Amino acid sequence: MAAVPLILLWATLLPSGLALPLPQEATGTREVQWEQAQDYLTRFYHLDSKTKDANRFTDKLKEMEKFFHLPITGKLNSRIIEIMQKPRCGVPDVAEYSLFANKPKWSSKVVTYKIVSYTSDLPHSKVDEIVAKALNLWSKEIPLNFRRIQFGTADIEIRFARGAHGDFNPFDGPGNVLAHAFPPGPGLGGDAHFDKDEFWTDGSHRGINFLYAATHEFGHSLGLGHSADPNAVMYPTYGNGDLKSFRLAQDDVEGIQELYGKRSNYRKR
Ligand code: SRS
Ligand code: CA
Ligand code: ZN
Ligand code: ZN
């Protein structure tokens, strides 16, 4: 293929501000769109980028159509292509967050928490402070208050544990899974567990930033699933943005407010 038509193809397919790698051997619009879609689904829907399995591709496409409330066709049509071509940086114009299946949430306006065990990487007072800070990041957006208790049963039990720790969800040693938390409910519901085999830090040392991880886990404890927005705290992987000055993304706020509503301004802390 001559160079000029390829450049024209670039120009017509790429909205300003979006740079997608185009395959060098691209020969037609359909093929380019297919590659573009594969790239998109790989990045945001965990499609294996090397897969040649058309069924898997179709399934991921259907998953995406469901997420965007489009008719489920499993086909690359103009509406889905349009969404894929929207720039993914900055404030997204579509909600990217998710909720758990039955939308579980706390019905009481006061949710209690208890810190059951600690890491030896940080002073206890630092852990207490960071937990309070992480909970506050959420509660300042919604009409919900957190109260710490030392005895009795709390809604949200927070613990550091390693390996098997009694919930059929064993931790896996240093790296990989850093923590997990359960959606709102009785018993284990709402509880947040942090892998004691990680090196936890308050940001002053190398290691896993506890404030970031705690904020993510408490998002689950409150009823949020994962977000497809890489800027969101509820994005499934650790360490995307600047951890030093992180705050909730617009998408996180929209997600939590779908469940609990907004905190009225005069009570905003
Ligand atoms: S959860 N609450 N959603 C856990 C989530 C988490 O631990 N995510 C993993 C992660 O980012 N780990 C970082 C270190 C490993 C990097 C290698 C690639 N990889 C909490 C967090 C967002 C605070 C996801 C993950 C990334 C992963 C993995 C998991 C390799 C297993 C193996 C349940
Ligand atoms: Ca781990
Ligand atoms: Zn656990
Ligand atoms: Zn998570």
Side-chain angles (χ1 to χ4, degrees), residues 161-163 171-173 175 177-179 193-198 200:
R162 66 166 49 87
F171 281 129
D172 52 10
V177 175
L178 310 175
H193 301 161
F194 298 87
D195 191 344
K196 217 174 194 168
D197 279 334
E198 311 304 337
W200 296 99

Side-chain angles (χ1 to χ4, degrees), residues 60 111 163 236:
K60 291 292 168 188
V111 171

